[in-house]
Amino acid sequence: MAVRRDVHNSDIPVLCQSCEARHRGVCGALDPDQLVDLARNSSKHSVQPGTELVGDAEAIDSFSNVLSGVVKLTKTLSDGRQQIVGLQFAPDFLGRPFKLESSINAEAATDVSLCSFPKTAIERMMKVSPELEHRLLKQTLKELDQARDWMVTLGRKTASEKVASFLLMIATNIDPTNAQDTGSATFDLPLTRSDIADFLGLTIETVSRQLTRLRADEVIRIENNRHVFVENMNRLEQRSGA
C-alpha cells in the first residue's frame, strides 16, 4: 500500500490520520515511522451484521482495530449452544497476541468498520515498542475489570438493574464523547431482544417488560423498536444499581 503524506501532517500516513484508534487505541503507542510500517500492511474494510470475524479454534493470522460498530463475542459449547460473553466497541483491539488459535467467536453485531493487519507485524512491533505492549496489557486488564463487573451484574442485580446496566454500557461505549459532553445519548440497540436476554441471563419476555417499564418511567424513549434515546444518563445510571 502506497503511503501518501499530507503537508500539514507529513509524518502520519493518510490511512491513520482520521482514525480514532490512533489516538485512543493501541496504535496511539506507535511513533510515526511505526505507523507508516503498519499502514503498508493494513487495510480498512466494512462488514455487515452477522458476519463472522473470528471463528472458535481458528488459526490466528491477523488482528484488527474496531473503528466503528459493535462486535459480539461468544463461546460455543460442544453441543453447539452459545453464550454471549462480551461486546467490543471502537477503538478496541480484536485478537489475542501470542496465541496460535482463537478460543472465542467474534461476530459483527451491527455494521462494523475494521482496520486489519497481519499478526506478525504487531508481534514484531511489540518486541521493540514497550508502549505498544503496555497498551495491549491495559486493554486486557480493562476487559478483565469489565468481566468482573458483569459477573456482579449477572449474579446480584435485579432484572430491572440488568437491563438498565446493559443500556448504560451501550450508551457509554457506542459514542463516549456524546454521553460525556451532553449527559444524554442516542443509539440503535446492537443486539436483538433474544441476544439481550441471552447476554443478561433473562427471558425475552422479561427484557421486553423491563424496557417497557424504563420507557413508562421516561428514563428512555424507543422508536421503531430499536432506536433508543437517553435524555438523562444519571437517571439511567441510578436505575442500573451502580
Side-chain angles (χ1 to χ4, degrees):
M1 177 185 298
V3 180
R4 295 182 290 120
R5 300 299 181 92
D6 183 276
V7 294
H8 301 295
N9 201 351
S10 59
D11 289 332
I12 305 299
V14 169
L15 180 73
C16 306
Q17 286 177 17
S18 62
C19 178
E20 279 303 308
R22 180 170 68 86
H23 302 288
R24 297 189 293 122
V26 298
C27 290
L30 302 178
D31 62 35
D33 288 340
Q34 289 171 322
L35 281 173
V36 169
D37 185 19
L38 188 61
R40 290 195 182 100
N41 299 286
S42 301
S43 62
K44 286 186 178 181
H45 54 106
S46 299
V47 297
Q48 296 180 335
T51 302
E52 185 179 79
L53 306 176
V54 179
D56 191 16
E58 181 179 285
I60 299 173
D61 57 12
S62 66
F63 301 129
S64 300
N65 284 325
V66 181
L67 304 181
S68 65
V70 182
V71 174
K72 178 174 66 175
L73 306 178
T74 63
K75 293 283 287 185
T76 304
L77 301 179
S78 58
D79 61 4
R81 286 177 294 165
Q82 281 193 336
Q83 172 67 47
I84 300 174
V85 296
L87 299 175
Q88 287 193 309
F89 307 85
D92 285 345
F93 181 83
L94 179 59
R96 187 60 55 87
F98 307 122
K99 290 197 72 172
L100 298 178
E101 290 186 348
S102 172
S103 59
I104 205 165
N105 298 284
E107 177 185 313
T110 65
D111 289 323
V112 171
S113 178
L114 300 165
C115 182
S116 299
F117 27 77
K119 171 187 176 183
T120 52
I122 285 293
E123 292 186 348
R124 182 182 71 248
M125 288 182 177
M126 288 178 66
K127 293 179 181 178
V128 297
S129 175
E131 180 59 26
L132 175 59
E133 194 170 33
H134 178 68
R135 289 249 181 157
L136 287 167
L137 176 60
K138 281 183 66 176
Q139 173 164 322
T140 301
L141 294 175
K142 183 186 81 170
E143 291 175 354
L144 176 61
D145 288 340
Q146 290 171 341
R148 287 170 172 167
D149 288 341
W150 204 246
M151 287 175 64
V152 175
T153 296
L154 297 180
R156 293 298 177 188
K157 290 189 178 181
T158 65
S160 178
E161 290 170 339
K162 287 180 180 181
V163 173
S165 294
F166 171 76
L167 295 175
L168 183 64
M169 177 178 63
I170 302 302
T172 302
N173 287 283
I174 208 162
D175 187 359
T177 55
N178 187 43
Q180 291 171 0
D181 293 343
T182 67
S184 63
T186 178
F187 55 89
D188 289 331
L189 288 171
L191 302 181
T192 64
R193 296 290 196 277
S194 177
D195 277 348
I196 295 172
D198 176 36
F199 193 32
L200 298 177
L202 302 172
T203 65
I204 299 173
E205 293 76 15
T206 299
V207 169
S208 296
R209 190 162 53 247
Q210 296 306 327
L211 287 172
T212 299
R213 180 176 296 178
L214 288 169
R215 183 168 52 186
D217 292 343
E218 298 184 345
V219 178
I220 62 172
R221 289 188 290 120
I222 303 179
E223 291 184 356
N224 301 321
N225 209 37
R226 197 167 186 117
H227 194 63
V228 179
F229 296 87
V230 183
E231 294 186 1
N232 188 320
M233 290 287 288
N234 288 332
R235 288 194 66 199
L236 181 61
E237 185 173 4
Q238 290 169 3
R239 295 293 289 265
S240 74

